[in-house]
Amino acid sequence: MKNLIFLIPLLPLIGFLVNGLGRKTLPKGVVSLIGCGVVLGSFLISLMIFLQGSYSATPFKYFDFINVGDLKIPFSFQVDQLSTLFILIITGVGFLIHMYSTAYMHEEKREHYGRYFAYLNLFIFSMLLLVMGGNFLIMFIGWEGVGLCSYLLIGYWFKHIDYTKAAKKAFVMNRIGDFGFLLAIFWIVQQWGTLSFYDLFNAETGKVAIMSAQNTTAVIGITLLLFVGAAGKSAQIPLYTWLPDAMAGPTPVSALIHAATMVTAGIYMIARSNVLYNLAPFTLTIIAIIGAATALLAATIALKQNDIKKVLAYSTVSQLGYMFLALGSGAYVAAIFHVMTHAFFKALLFLGSGSVIHAMSGQQDIRFMGGLKSKLKITYATFVIGCLAIAGIPPLSGFFSKDAVLLAAFEHNTFLYIVALITAALTAFYMFRLLFITFHGSFRGTEEQKHHVHESPAAMTIPLIVLAVLSIVGGFVGVPEAFIQGGEKLTRFLQPVVPAFAHHISHSTEYLLMLVTAVISIIAIVIAWMRYRTYKEEKSTPFGKVLANNWYVDEVYNSAIVKPLNKFGSFANTYFERSGIDALVNGVGRMVNYGSRQLRWLQSGQIGSYILLMVISMVLLFVLQFFLRS
Amino acid sequence: MGITQILFWILAIFTLFSALMVITSKNPVYSVLWLIITFFTISGHYILLNAQFLAVVNIIVYAGAIMVLFLFVLMLMNLAKDNEPQKSKWLKLAGALAGGSLLLVMVAALKGTEQQMTELGTGNIGLIENLGQVLFTQYVVPFEISSILFLSAMVGAVIIGKKE
Amino acid sequence: MIVLLLLLLPLVGGLVAFFLKEGNSARGWSLAIALATLAVSVVGIIGAKGSENLFFSAPWMGNLGTRFSIALDGMSQILCLLMAVSYPLIFLSTWKSNYSKPANFFGLMLLAQAGMIGVFIATDALLFYFFWELALIPVYFLCSGWGGERRIPVTFKFFIYTFTASLLMLLGLLYLYFQTPDRSFALEAFYALKLPNETQLWVFWLLFIAFAVKMPVFPFHTWQPDTYEQSPTAVTMVLSGLMVKMGVYGVIRWVLPVVPVASYQWGDVVMSMAVIGIVYASVLAMQQNDLKRLVAYSSIAHVGLMAAAIFAETKTGLQGVLMQMFNHGVNIIGLWIVVELIERQFKTRKLSELGGVAQKAPGLTILLVILALANVSLPLTNSFVGEFLMFNGIFNSTATKYSALFSAVALISIILSAVYTLGMIQKIFYGPTNSITENTHDIFTNERVALGVIVLLIVTFGVYPQPLLNLTSDFVDVLLKQASVANLMVK
Amino acid sequence: MNVQYYIFLSVALFVIGIVGVLTRRNAIIVFMCIELMLNAVNLLLVAFSKMHHLANSAKDITAGTDGQLFVFFIMVVAAAEVSVGLAIIVMLYRNTQSIDINFLNRLKH
Amino acid sequence: MNTLIFTALSGVLMMFSAFLLKSKTAVRLLAHVLLAAIIIINLLELRDVRLLNINVEGMMQFDRFSLLFTLVANVCTFAFFALSSKDMEKVGVHYSDYFALLFFILSGVVLVASFTSLLILFLGIEIISIPLYILTGSDKRNLKSNEASLKYFLMGSFSTGLMLMGIALVYGATGTFNTTLMTSGSNGPSVLFLSGLLMLLFSMSFKVSAAPFHFWTPDVYDGAPTVFTSFMATIVKVAGFIAFMRLFSQAFGDIRAEWQLLVAIVVALTLFIGNITAVFQQSVKRMLAYSSISQAGFMMLAVYSVSADAREGIILYAAAYSLATIGIFAVLIKMNDYSFDGFNGFAKQQPLVAVTLVIFLLSLAGIPLTAGFLSKFYMLKATIDAGSMSLSIFAVLMAAVSAYYYFRLIQAMYFKDGVMEPIEISSGFKYTLITIAAITVLLGIFPGLLTHWLYF
């Protein structure tokens, strides 16, 4: 068992090493075989574990990672229901995307192809570390690891300097989050002397679990700092701006990292430490607010985007906001549920868009697409499913997860619920806007694009289909009790790790809420249908302009943080360093030189003056000796 | 106020006066002459302190030999004129002031010695035989050593003086 | 005996090297000596645990109360290991760069090594001072003999600066010597001292200044970037990778345990200096266009962290420092190797003039990226462990009231370091090639080997740091017991 | 009579010598002033020797002799010095036709 | 005593050697032989083997300290002969007489190193000074030499006047010239005694060129023929210090508190003026003159803190400083251009000599592993022991300044590239230099080699 678990992250690591070292020599076929094979392998293993249902609350310790004094941090994995779920998502979706990539990236030069898959495997490895880690430090290792991989993959086409800039931005933003995460870790060490989830959170002996005091400074501080980390990783206000830029990477990467898996790490982390968060209602409130705000903001921005991937990116941010709203409302399961469904349909949408871009030979601007539904049948069909799912149309997966979130929000705070509801409407609207502009109407691309347009190869369509199916059925694991006896399978599944959300409203209200959601979404879709059935140039309103430039947030950051920092830096470099400190140091030397030049005049060469000086000093010394000394 | 005391005062006044003349008189030759007079008065003091031998030696060596040597040199350079270049009076003033203050300080310091001061005695240790006794018994080593001094001075004079 | 051998090998080897006529023989000889030293030190650390081999003591200098006594304890071991590992790497990586008068060059290099090893193993104050200067002089000659065009004034400033400081240190040691009951310079005698607090308060600075300049801590750092910029890269490696450690070592060995109360009292001052320095240096690093200066400033930032962690006086912190001394040495040497490569190929260090190297030299790129990741202390690289421990030590320090503040401010550096390090990579390697970089060739075998070894070390100790930590664990316990006097008194 | 007078007298002479050294430019005169200083010292020594003789003649009949002998040695040395000094001055005069010490400023700073 | 006699006799011998020996080589050889003999005799005397005994009536005391110092002085002189005696020929025609004078000076050195009577001190100092006046002026055609000699003479005899005044006052206070018998009265030292002490302090400071009585030094050292400057700046100067120490430890040791402040002031001034002024010099010769002042400041620390350490230290210092300075001067004499730039590219032309020069300079700068460091170290040790941390800190800072100008020369030799016209250097010269350098390093590691003679 122990070694089997160890195999899960080990396989992708091997894949990384093999592909990385052999990227020049191995033929593409082998590379893709290894790249996909290892992921499939770990998927199967995790599936086996899942089916056996053999979880262990206590972590498996492999070796002492850090063992200094009373700070003992083993290198340990913890595979319980929560992590298993994530492992399945990561390896499963990951495998599909690997497979997709083999076709999507086939034009790449051999060594770059190898490099790509190496990175991808490395990412899977780090992500698995993140979710399997038995303590905060191992989690942090994976945490930074995925950050690194996203950096590498965003900057994969390093010839384009802008892409590498976007990559750098992503890494730095993540680093800001990690800043908080690390501080939280140190604080935890200070408070409880251990980082192991088990020692902290298990119900019987967990140092945190047995605490009763709520809202103590330490707890609030730690939870907030952890949330800073989560916000960085999961692109929440104020640290979300890197995610849209991250679309510079290849589309499968966006699908895997920036939609399905990495960005949900924050949710995982908070869910993982729910025991801690339950002690800090204050923090939860803040999380809820920020989540809702992010959801709304991103949704508004998504309304006016014309880059197909940008739209999806912002919708991702918005959906992540949803998840945090759920967390903030204390509905951890709902959040995880939404992570899962979102992983399906957002991956689907991204891959779909990838297929479109592939067909349009690199064109990403939807204004130059249109009328593709006849040409790309499968893509179109799956894309529609994805849109319906994300719009929350019953009975697709999105409906159930989103509903769970809204329900929690409603019970937690009505205002937040309304915000979420508006967001839902906006989501439905911009998604279908995207759909109609892209696939309906008439073709607006260039001629040779027109000829070139074709359905993608099987390697790309199969994942689409699989994901489409998942997007449809994925929601059934969380069908609420209200519908069928013995629903809420997910909740029960996660029970040992994540407490269920205590509903205290009648089923009737629950039905009502669902109805409202569904109706609103449908209305939004209809509006979109009327507006974008046939493409016409959007007239730009000033407000629209603001949205199109995503509220000028980047500009604000730039002039509020980056510029001043550089100003200060260049000032320090040119003035403070040179003519400040260094001048002081050199000043001493200059002083000596100056003194030397002055003292030389004593040496006038005149015997008279010499003797005069001697006599004077004699007099002075006499006076000192006889009249000044006590 | 015994006779010695009166003589002392007279001699002292003479000494100081002539010494001052040494440093003030424009013409170098005059200064030499004044210096000789000073030496004579000092010899007078020696006699008062009945150090007769030293008195004689002083006159022979200093007034006789050394000063004559000085005189010769001066004549040889025929500097016997009044228009010898003078230091700027500021420098002179400064020198005088420095010296004066030194005098002031030393006197001020030394007059504190009054209480433990003893009277001068008489006695004939100044006579040549007594001095000779000690000189050639206890002080024979320094005496010999001074011969080294003379040798080196001689060699030096030769090195410097001899024309090449 | 082994410890003596460790000292004599480079010393004798260096002296011999002066008499080797032509370049390659000098190169080969010094590389051989370096490898031999490596072998000896490995034996000394693994082979001879606690045996008599690790101590040597003999009388010298008659009645001065000093003995020629040297010893290898945990800290010395890890530092000697660093010395021994670095030198072969340095020689290997600079194999292709041909220096005028190679015999003198390599002779001086080895002498410097001897001096530094001496510093790390001396357990007698006067002996320590001897080696301290002995290490300085060869480096001075190396810098101003083989450096850039502004080398003479720059190196001279460096020399005078450090020399002055070290003289003050000498006075401090001398003063302590007079406080010892039996007038001795022995380390134990110093540790046995129980000085009155007010004395400690000023003696502390006499000692500390020298080390502060060497490290360098914030206000005393201005000599460093210029010197690094001007000296030949091989020497820069010695300066930044190894010589810097002399300062850190000095504080741990000769300040913290000797004047504990003062170290406790001044802890806040020093830590704030260090912490300010960390942020300051990082911000300046972001501004640099010259590759060498950039690395120099980043090094200042890293060392500042060590200084802060020392005065946190926690076990984790100190173990982190000791480990980080090793890691930082290895990593920064790696960085300098890359700088050397770039400078030799493109004849420029200006970031603005470079770009697109990655397309031409993927091997170099990958290696540098790994080094850079170590420089931003990414997990699973060696420096992550060290810095994690140090930050943790600072945060959980009981020696200062402002531990949380200090660690938070210091932690900003992980953001800034990401900014400038990735910026550097981006400017050098990414984007399109230009006239300078278009016909780049990838790295040669010797450099590949050197960097490969370094990367291996980085990853190994990043994944499994425990060996290094075990090496110094006992030492730190002893040290803390010695310094713990401070913790009894209230601030 | 009191030795104090002699102390003051010789100190006065000594200082006069110093002042002479300070105020004159002619090397020979300066040298003469130095001789004056030496004589002041001699005078003082003799005075002291008498004083000590009176103080100690009881136990040692030759007490105080050493002072006078010292004077003797001073004269010896002075003579030697004069011979050398004048030689130097003459040499300088040969080369520069002047013995004005104000012109001795080739060496400075 | 034996040493003294033989030194004086060999002086006389050299005087007449001019008539006996025609060739200068023979004269030089004779000088070397005589000096060697003196050294041997000195050694014997140090090991208490006396060829003849003379009753000095307690006016001198040939203890280990004095004898060891005499030995050091003689050995240094030997090094000086070996390196520079050939260059004396250039100075003037009276080759043998120079040697004679040097020997006379040496006998003077013996006197001041072993006096117990102020009379001997006085005679010794005069025996040292008068020949020096002459040697300074020995380059008769050279106006600078003349000027230096007259300056030295006038100011020297002025300081002699001061010293005599001091002696007289001290005599007045104590009634004796014997330094060992001097005891300040029951109720503290009398004013007479103190003012005498001050006068002596001034004049001795003058002899060792300590500020503010140092003014003659740069001019005289600069003007004198370089050969003799080398001798003056080393052996004579340290002899002055031995005299200084002897006087103040024997006669005034028990009232240290009275004068330590003044000495401290003098030390500080000397260090300050010497070092700071040296920084700006452009001529190496003049720089060395100032450096000799600054080194004097350090040696004064021994006077400040009269103690066993100080005695060991001053001996070591004498050796270290003299050897190093003699070595540098010996090379300087060979140079045609005394300015710093004159040394540009020296290392390329004379690598071996350059290395020895570096060692000497490091020793002067007080870098470890050279005798210079240890001697400075002893001084600081003694000072801190005497309880003046501040003074030692000041001294140390000044030492750092001194490194500045010493290293300027190193830079010129090694790092500045210029074309200097070749200078001829015999292999014998080289080997002597190397030997001296070796001794410098050896003493830097095992000072016991020298200091233990004080005790066993």
Side-chain angles (χ1 to χ4, degrees), chain A residues 23 65 67-68 71 144 158-159 164-165 171 175 179 186 190 570 573 576-578 581-582 586, chain C residues 157 219 221-222 280 288 293 297 319 366 376 378-379 391-392 396 408 414 426 430-431 462 465-466:
Chain A
R23 69 189 191 288
F65 182 55
N67 183 359
V68 175
L71 176 67
E144 289 245 309
F158 52 72
K159 280 198 198 63
T164 58
K165 286 202 175 112
F171 192 86
R175 264 290 163 123
F179 169 83
F186 299 141
Q190 190 187 43
S570 59
N573 191 23
F576 189 65
E577 179 83 346
R578 293 243 175 288
I581 305 170
D582 206 16
N586 298 339
Chain C
K157 175 173 157 191
H221 67 280
T222 47
Y280 179 78
Q288 302 308 321
R293 293 187 77 86
Y297 277 110
Q319 290 238 278
I366 290 163
V376 301
L378 199 82
F391 281 122
N392 187 27
N396 298 326
I414 72 164
Q426 177 190 333
Y430 297 155
Q466 209 50 43

Coordinates of all heavy atoms in Angstrom, one line a residue, chain A residues 23 65 67-68 71 144 158-159 164-165 171 175 179 186 190 570 573 576-578 581-582 586, chain C residues 157 219 221-222 280 288 293 297 319 366 376 378-379 391-392 396 408 414 426 430-431 462 465-466:
Chain A
R23 N 15.0 14.4 -24.4 CA 14.2 15.2 -25.3 C 14.8 15.4 -26.7 O 14.1 15.5 -27.7 CB 13.9 16.6 -24.7 CG 15.1 17.5 -24.6 CD 14.7 18.7 -23.8 NE 15.8 19.7 -24.0 CZ 17.0 19.6 -23.4 NH1 17.3 18.5 -22.7 NH2 17.9 20.5 -23.6
F65 N 12.4 14.6 6.3 CA 12.8 15.7 5.4 C 13.6 16.7 6.2 O 14.8 17.0 5.9 CB 11.6 16.3 4.8 CG 11.9 17.4 3.8 CD1 12.8 17.2 2.8 CD2 11.4 18.7 4.0 CE1 13.1 18.2 1.9 CE2 11.8 19.7 3.1 CZ 12.6 19.4 2.0
N67 N 14.6 17.5 10.3 CA 14.5 17.0 11.6 C 15.5 17.8 12.5 O 16.7 17.4 12.7 CB 14.8 15.5 11.7 CG 14.6 15.0 13.1 OD1 14.3 15.8 14.0 ND2 14.8 13.7 13.3
V68 N 15.1 19.0 12.9 CA 16.0 19.9 13.7 C 15.4 20.1 15.0 O 14.3 20.7 15.1 CB 16.2 21.2 12.9 CG1 17.0 22.1 13.7 CG2 16.9 20.9 11.6
L71 N 11.7 20.5 15.9 CA 11.0 20.6 14.6 C 11.2 19.4 13.7 O 12.3 19.2 13.2 CB 11.4 21.9 13.9 CG 10.8 22.1 12.5 CD1 9.3 22.4 12.7 CD2 11.5 23.3 11.8
E144 N 4.7 25.3 -4.5 CA 5.7 26.1 -5.3 C 6.0 25.3 -6.6 O 6.3 26.0 -7.6 CB 6.9 26.3 -4.5 CG 6.7 27.3 -3.4 CD 7.5 28.6 -3.6 OE1 8.7 28.5 -3.9 OE2 6.9 29.6 -3.5
F158 N 9.3 30.6 -25.5 CA 10.1 31.7 -24.9 C 10.7 32.7 -25.9 O 11.3 33.7 -25.6 CB 11.3 31.1 -24.1 CG 12.1 30.1 -24.8 CD1 13.0 30.6 -25.8 CD2 12.0 28.8 -24.5 CE1 13.8 29.7 -26.5 CE2 12.8 27.9 -25.2 CZ 13.7 28.3 -26.2
K159 N 10.5 32.4 -27.2 CA 10.9 33.4 -28.2 C 10.1 34.7 -28.1 O 10.6 35.8 -28.3 CB 10.8 32.9 -29.6 CG 11.9 31.9 -30.0 CD 12.0 31.8 -31.5 CE 12.8 30.5 -31.9 NZ 12.2 29.3 -31.4
T164 N 7.0 35.3 -21.9 CA 7.9 35.1 -20.7 C 7.6 36.1 -19.7 O 7.6 35.8 -18.5 CB 9.4 35.2 -21.1 OG1 9.6 36.6 -21.7 CG2 9.8 34.2 -22.1
K165 N 7.2 37.3 -20.1 CA 6.8 38.3 -19.1 C 5.6 37.9 -18.3 O 5.5 37.9 -17.1 CB 6.5 39.7 -19.8 CG 7.8 40.4 -20.2 CD 7.6 41.9 -20.4 CE 8.9 42.6 -20.7 NZ 8.9 43.1 -22.1
F171 N 4.4 33.9 -11.8 CA 5.3 33.4 -10.7 C 5.3 34.3 -9.6 O 5.2 34.0 -8.4 CB 6.7 33.1 -11.3 CG 7.5 32.3 -10.4 CD1 7.4 30.9 -10.4 CD2 8.4 32.9 -9.4 CE1 8.2 30.1 -9.5 CE2 9.1 32.1 -8.6 CZ 9.0 30.7 -8.6
R175 N 4.2 34.0 -5.8 CA 5.2 34.2 -4.7 C 4.6 35.1 -3.7 O 4.7 34.8 -2.5 CB 6.5 34.9 -5.3 CG 7.5 33.8 -5.6 CD 8.1 33.2 -4.4 NE 8.8 32.0 -4.6 CZ 10.1 31.8 -4.2 NH1 10.7 32.8 -3.6 NH2 10.6 30.6 -4.4
F179 N 4.3 34.0 0.1 CA 4.8 34.8 1.3 C 3.8 34.6 2.4 O 4.2 34.2 3.5 CB 4.8 36.3 0.8 CG 5.0 37.3 1.9 CD1 6.2 37.6 2.4 CD2 3.9 37.9 2.5 CE1 6.4 38.5 3.4 CE2 4.0 38.8 3.5 CZ 5.3 39.1 3.9
F186 N 5.1 29.2 9.5 CA 6.0 29.5 10.7 C 5.1 29.7 11.9 O 5.4 29.2 13.0 CB 6.8 30.8 10.5 CG 7.7 30.6 9.3 CD1 7.9 31.7 8.4 CD2 8.4 29.4 9.0 CE1 8.8 31.6 7.4 CE2 9.2 29.3 8.0 CZ 9.4 30.4 7.1
Q190 N 5.0 27.8 15.4 CA 5.2 28.5 16.7 C 4.0 28.1 17.7 O 4.2 27.8 18.8 CB 5.1 30.0 16.5 CG 5.5 30.8 17.8 CD 5.3 32.2 17.5 OE1 4.3 32.7 17.0 NE2 6.2 33.0 18.0
S570 N 15.7 52.8 -8.4 CA 16.7 53.6 -9.1 C 17.2 54.7 -8.3 O 18.4 55.0 -8.3 CB 16.1 54.1 -10.4 OG 15.0 55.0 -10.0
N573 N 19.7 53.2 -6.0 CA 20.9 52.8 -6.7 C 21.8 53.9 -7.1 O 23.0 53.9 -6.9 CB 20.4 52.0 -8.0 CG 21.6 51.3 -8.6 OD1 22.6 51.0 -7.9 ND2 21.5 51.1 -9.9
F576 N 21.3 57.0 -3.1 CA 21.6 56.6 -1.8 C 22.8 55.8 -1.7 O 23.7 56.0 -0.9 CB 20.3 55.8 -1.3 CG 20.4 55.5 0.2 CD1 20.4 56.6 1.1 CD2 20.5 54.2 0.7 CE1 20.4 56.3 2.5 CE2 20.6 54.0 2.0 CZ 20.6 55.0 2.9
E577 N 22.9 54.8 -2.6 CA 24.1 53.9 -2.5 C 25.3 54.6 -2.8 O 26.3 54.6 -2.0 CB 23.8 52.7 -3.6 CG 25.0 51.7 -3.6 CD 24.8 50.7 -2.5 OE1 24.0 50.9 -1.6 OE2 25.5 49.7 -2.6
R578 N 25.3 55.3 -4.0 CA 26.6 55.9 -4.4 C 27.0 57.1 -3.6 O 28.0 57.1 -2.9 CB 26.5 56.4 -5.9 CG 26.3 55.2 -6.9 CD 27.4 55.2 -7.9 NE 27.3 54.0 -8.7 CZ 27.6 52.7 -8.2 NH1 27.9 52.6 -7.0 NH2 27.4 51.7 -9.0
I581 N 25.8 56.1 1.2 CA 26.7 55.2 2.0 C 28.1 55.2 1.5 O 29.1 55.5 2.2 CB 26.1 53.8 2.0 CG1 24.7 53.7 2.4 CG2 27.0 52.9 2.9 CD1 24.0 52.4 2.2
D582 N 28.2 54.9 0.2 CA 29.6 54.8 -0.4 C 30.4 56.1 -0.2 O 31.5 56.1 0.1 CB 29.5 54.4 -1.8 CG 30.7 53.7 -2.3 OD1 31.5 53.2 -1.4 OD2 31.0 53.5 -3.5
N586 N 34.1 56.5 1.2 CA 35.2 57.2 0.5 C 35.5 58.5 1.2 O 36.7 58.9 1.2 CB 34.7 57.5 -0.9 CG 34.4 56.2 -1.6 OD1 34.9 55.2 -1.2 ND2 33.6 56.3 -2.7
Chain C
K157 N 40.4 49.8 -1.8 CA 39.3 50.2 -0.9 C 38.9 49.0 -0.1 O 38.9 49.0 1.2 CB 38.2 50.8 -1.7 CG 37.0 51.1 -0.8 CD 35.9 51.9 -1.7 CE 34.6 51.7 -1.1 NZ 33.6 52.2 -2.1
P219 N 25.0 48.4 6.2 CA 25.7 49.7 5.9 C 27.1 49.5 5.5 O 27.8 50.4 4.9 CB 25.6 50.5 7.2 CG 25.0 49.7 8.2 CD 24.8 48.3 7.7
H221 N 28.4 47.4 3.2 CA 28.5 46.5 2.1 C 29.0 47.2 0.8 O 29.2 46.5 -0.2 CB 27.1 46.0 1.7 CG 26.2 47.1 1.2 ND1 25.6 48.0 2.1 CD2 25.9 47.5 0.0 CE1 24.9 48.9 1.4 NE2 25.0 48.6 0.1
T222 N 29.3 48.5 0.9 CA 29.5 49.2 -0.4 C 30.7 48.7 -1.2 O 30.8 48.9 -2.3 CB 29.6 50.7 -0.2 OG1 30.5 50.9 0.9 CG2 28.2 51.2 0.1
Y280 N 16.8 46.1 1.0 CA 17.5 47.1 0.3 C 18.3 46.4 -0.9 O 18.2 46.8 -2.0 CB 18.4 47.8 1.2 CG 19.3 48.9 0.6 CD1 18.8 50.1 0.3 CD2 20.7 48.6 0.4 CE1 19.6 51.1 -0.2 CE2 21.5 49.6 -0.2 CZ 20.9 50.8 -0.5 OH 21.7 51.8 -1.0
Q288 N 20.0 46.5 -11.3 CA 21.3 46.3 -11.9 C 21.2 45.9 -13.4 O 20.3 45.1 -13.7 CB 22.1 45.3 -11.1 CG 22.3 45.7 -9.7 CD 22.9 47.1 -9.6 OE1 23.7 47.6 -10.4 NE2 22.4 47.8 -8.6
R293 N 27.1 42.7 -10.9 CA 26.5 43.5 -9.8 C 25.2 42.9 -9.3 O 25.0 42.8 -8.1 CB 26.3 44.9 -10.2 CG 27.6 45.6 -10.5 CD 27.3 47.1 -10.8 NE 27.1 47.9 -9.6 CZ 28.1 48.4 -8.9 NH1 29.3 48.2 -9.2 NH2 27.8 49.1 -7.8
Y297 N 24.6 41.8 -5.4 CA 23.5 42.3 -4.5 C 22.7 41.2 -4.0 O 22.3 41.2 -2.8 CB 22.7 43.4 -5.2 CG 23.3 44.8 -5.2 CD1 23.8 45.3 -6.3 CD2 23.4 45.5 -4.0 CE1 24.4 46.6 -6.3 CE2 24.0 46.7 -3.9 CZ 24.5 47.2 -5.1 OH 25.1 48.5 -5.1
Q319 N 21.0 26.2 12.7 CA 21.2 25.1 11.8 C 21.0 25.5 10.3 O 21.8 25.2 9.4 CB 20.3 23.9 12.1 CG 20.7 23.3 13.5 CD 21.0 21.8 13.3 OE1 20.1 21.0 13.2 NE2 22.2 21.5 13.2
I366 N 19.2 25.4 -19.2 CA 18.6 24.6 -18.2 C 19.4 24.7 -16.9 O 18.9 24.9 -15.8 CB 18.6 23.1 -18.7 CG1 17.5 23.0 -19.8 CG2 18.2 22.2 -17.5 CD1 17.7 21.8 -20.6
V376 N 16.3 31.5 -5.9 CA 15.0 32.0 -5.3 C 14.5 31.0 -4.3 O 13.4 31.1 -3.8 CB 14.0 32.2 -6.4 CG1 14.4 33.2 -7.4 CG2 13.6 30.9 -7.1
L378 N 13.6 27.8 -4.2 CA 12.4 27.0 -4.5 C 12.5 25.7 -3.8 O 13.6 25.1 -3.6 CB 12.3 26.7 -6.0 CG 11.0 26.4 -6.6 CD1 10.1 27.6 -6.7 CD2 11.1 25.6 -7.9
P379 N 11.4 25.1 -3.3 CA 11.5 23.8 -2.6 C 12.2 22.8 -3.5 O 12.2 22.9 -4.7 CB 10.0 23.5 -2.4 CG 9.4 24.8 -2.3 CD 10.1 25.7 -3.3
F391 N 14.2 31.4 8.3 CA 13.0 32.2 8.5 C 12.3 31.7 9.8 O 11.9 32.4 10.6 CB 12.1 32.1 7.3 CG 12.5 33.0 6.2 CD1 12.8 32.5 4.9 CD2 12.7 34.4 6.4 CE1 13.2 33.3 3.9 CE2 13.1 35.2 5.4 CZ 13.4 34.7 4.1
N392 N 12.2 30.4 9.8 CA 11.5 29.8 10.9 C 12.1 30.2 12.2 O 11.5 30.6 13.2 CB 11.4 28.2 10.8 CG 10.6 27.6 11.8 OD1 9.7 28.2 12.3 ND2 10.9 26.4 12.2
N396 N 10.4 32.3 15.1 CA 10.2 31.8 16.5 C 11.2 32.2 17.5 O 11.4 31.5 18.5 CB 10.1 30.2 16.4 CG 8.9 29.8 15.5 OD1 7.9 30.5 15.5 ND2 9.1 28.8 14.7
A408 N 8.8 38.8 8.7 CA 7.9 39.2 7.7 C 8.6 40.0 6.7 O 8.6 39.8 5.5 CB 6.7 39.9 8.3
I414 N 11.8 36.9 -0.7 CA 11.5 35.8 -1.6 C 10.7 36.2 -2.8 O 10.8 35.7 -3.9 CB 10.7 34.6 -0.9 CG1 9.3 35.0 -0.6 CG2 11.5 34.1 0.3 CD1 8.5 33.8 -0.2
Q426 N 15.1 36.0 -18.0 CA 14.4 36.5 -19.2 C 15.2 37.3 -20.1 O 15.3 37.1 -21.3 CB 13.2 37.3 -18.7 CG 12.3 37.9 -19.7 CD 11.3 38.9 -19.1 OE1 10.9 38.7 -17.9 NE2 11.0 39.9 -19.9
Y430 N 15.7 34.5 -22.9 CA 14.4 34.5 -23.7 C 14.4 35.6 -24.7 O 15.3 36.4 -24.9 CB 13.2 34.6 -22.7 CG 13.1 33.5 -21.8 CD1 12.5 33.6 -20.6 CD2 13.7 32.2 -22.1 CE1 12.4 32.5 -19.7 CE2 13.7 31.2 -21.2 CZ 13.0 31.3 -20.0 OH 13.0 30.3 -19.2
G431 N 13.3 35.6 -25.5 CA 13.2 36.6 -26.5 C 14.1 36.3 -27.7 O 14.7 35.2 -27.8
G462 N 18.6 19.3 -1.5 CA 17.3 19.9 -1.5 C 16.3 18.8 -1.1 O 15.3 19.1 -0.4
P465 N 18.2 16.8 3.0 CA 19.2 17.7 3.7 C 19.7 17.1 5.0 O 20.7 17.6 5.5 CB 18.4 19.0 4.0 CG 17.0 18.4 4.1 CD 16.8 17.3 3.2
Q466 N 19.1 16.0 5.4 CA 19.4 15.6 6.8 C 20.9 15.4 7.1 O 21.4 15.8 8.1 CB 18.6 14.3 7.1 CG 18.2 14.2 8.6 CD 17.6 15.4 9.2 OE1 16.7 16.0 8.5 NE2 18.0 15.8 10.3

